[in-house]
Amino acid sequence: MLTDAALKSILAPEMCGYLDLLRASNRSTAEYLYTFHSLDTYLVRNKITSKTLSEVLLTDWLSSRNIVGSSKNGEIARMRTFARYLTALEIFAFELDCCQVEQTYKAYTFDNDEISKIFEIADNGSVSYRNTESGMVFPVVLRILYGTGMRISEVLDLKWEDVDLVNGILTITQAKNNTQRRVPIHSSLRDVLWLYNRRRMLGFPDDEYLFTNRDNSTGIPYKYETFGYWFKKVLCAAGVDNPHGKPFARGISTHVLRHNFTFRSFQQAASEGRA
């Protein structure tokens, strides 16, 4: 887990100070922590002892990242705001310009046969990861992703106090940009969650995660990487081709389910004359 304490470079105090400033403003720091840890490692590895951020240093650091397009622009945007903070402290910091991004990615859309096969494979438990417990958990996670368009991080962060089975509402308390939103669910998904609660979570408190990893005594939920690994095995068993192609090209990930939800919602709206 990334923490402020792990920052060790010449600019570590300023990085920690900026993170504290973000937290005081109720801003999310997760992405900044990731960026700062990368830059901090670069500064330490290259024995940088000058408290400055030059154009050459920033360009070399970004080149070492092996990232492209929008991901690189995200890093640049965070470093631009950090540069202004350093400038206010009278520390020289160059503000890089964002790069032009060529949008070549086309989201994959499952057809009806593929979706049917995916759910069939997921439900039979033949690709359960590590134990039979995941064979009960992950098909439910899959249905929430497919039926709501939620992000995998949002699904795994759900607690039972966020679930209203009476009215069929899921509350996301930490959505993107630190916002909160309510997600209505279909009656069939509500029935799945009701049955899941009775079979696996009956008697647990409301502040328990829906998808607690019982292999971990701390009560934390499964990691999204674990579900992603299981999902890839399901795709393979279902015969869904998942090529990555060229470097940086995207394969079929759990986020594709979010695209599918959006596509189906648009189709439904169009058929009802609402689009």
Side-chain angles (χ1 to χ4, degrees):
M1 181 178 179
L2 301 180
T3 63
D4 298 17
L7 299 171
K8 303 295 183 183
S9 71
I10 186 68
L11 287 173
E14 287 73 26
M15 292 179 186
C16 292
Y18 189 65
L19 290 170
D20 288 340
L21 187 65
L22 291 175
R23 294 183 184 111
S25 303
N26 292 320
R27 296 271 304 280
S28 174
T29 60
E31 291 181 332
Y32 275 95
L33 258 175
Y34 181 78
T35 298
F36 284 169
H37 272 269
S38 173
L39 177 61
D40 187 81
T41 300
Y42 175 87
L43 295 175
V44 171
R45 184 174 61 244
N46 290 278
K47 300 179 180 178
I48 306 297
T49 58
S50 175
K51 200 179 281 284
T52 182
L53 283 181
S54 68
E55 180 181 7
V56 172
L57 185 152
L58 288 169
T59 301
D60 288 347
W61 163 66
L62 275 175
S63 298
S64 71
R65 292 297 315 279
N66 284 331
I67 55 176
V68 294
S70 58
S71 296
K72 180 179 287 187
N73 277 339
E75 299 283 44
I76 292 174
R78 287 185 283 277
M79 292 311 302
R80 284 173 64 87
T81 57
F82 181 54
R84 293 165 195 160
Y85 173 76
L86 293 178
T87 300
L89 298 177
E90 299 185 348
I91 297 173
F92 174 76
F94 184 83
E95 289 189 35
L96 288 172
D97 291 328
C98 291
C99 58
Q100 186 173 358
V101 179
E102 181 182 355
Q103 295 292 344
T104 59
Y105 172 65
K106 293 183 179 179
Y108 188 85
T109 302
F110 295 117
D111 60 36
N112 291 335
D113 289 338
E114 287 176 328
I115 281 295
S116 297
K117 190 64 175 178
I118 287 170
F119 279 113
E120 178 186 342
I121 296 296
D123 290 342
N124 70 24
S126 61
V127 297
S128 293
Y129 177 59
R130 296 184 63 187
N131 55 43
T132 55
E133 180 80 3
S134 62
M136 181 185 298
V137 172
F138 290 160
V140 179
V141 176
L142 178 64
R143 279 171 168 80
I144 297 177
L145 290 170
Y146 183 74
T148 66
M150 292 169 61
R151 298 175 176 86
I152 180 61
S153 59
E154 295 170 340
V155 174
L156 295 179
D157 280 343
L158 284 172
K159 296 182 178 181
W160 284 109
E161 61 192 8
D162 305 323
V163 179
D164 181 353
L165 291 178
V166 175
N167 297 301
I169 298 290
L170 303 181
T171 300
I172 304 173
T173 57
Q174 290 293 325
K176 193 173 183 178
N177 299 322
N178 244 6
T179 58
Q180 183 181 100
R181 75 176 192 272
R182 288 157 62 84
V183 179
I185 60 176
H186 192 272
S187 58
S188 60
L189 180 55
R190 181 176 58 185
D191 292 342
V192 168
L193 287 172
W194 183 90
L195 186 60
Y196 173 76
N197 179 275
R198 294 300 182 273
R199 287 183 173 177
R200 187 173 186 264
M201 307 298 296
L202 193 62
F204 281 82
D206 286 345
D207 61 355
E208 183 82 11
Y209 288 103
L210 266 70
F211 306 111
T212 300
N213 186 348
R214 299 279 172 78
D215 289 341
N216 193 309
S217 59
T218 59
I220 62 175
Y222 280 92
K223 295 180 179 179
Y224 69 87
E225 296 95 341
T226 308
F227 177 80
Y229 178 79
W230 174 88
F231 184 61
K232 288 179 181 178
K233 290 178 67 177
V234 168
L235 291 179
C236 182
V240 178
D241 191 27
N242 188 16
H244 282 272
K246 297 183 294 185
F248 304 114
R250 304 184 195 180
I252 303 175
S253 69
T254 56
H255 202 69
V256 168
L257 295 166
R258 182 171 168 83
H259 292 305
N260 271 252
F261 175 81
T262 303
F263 178 69
R264 297 194 326 273
S265 297
F266 179 80
Q267 280 189 316
Q268 182 176 349
S271 67
E272 296 172 356
R274 295 184 287 110

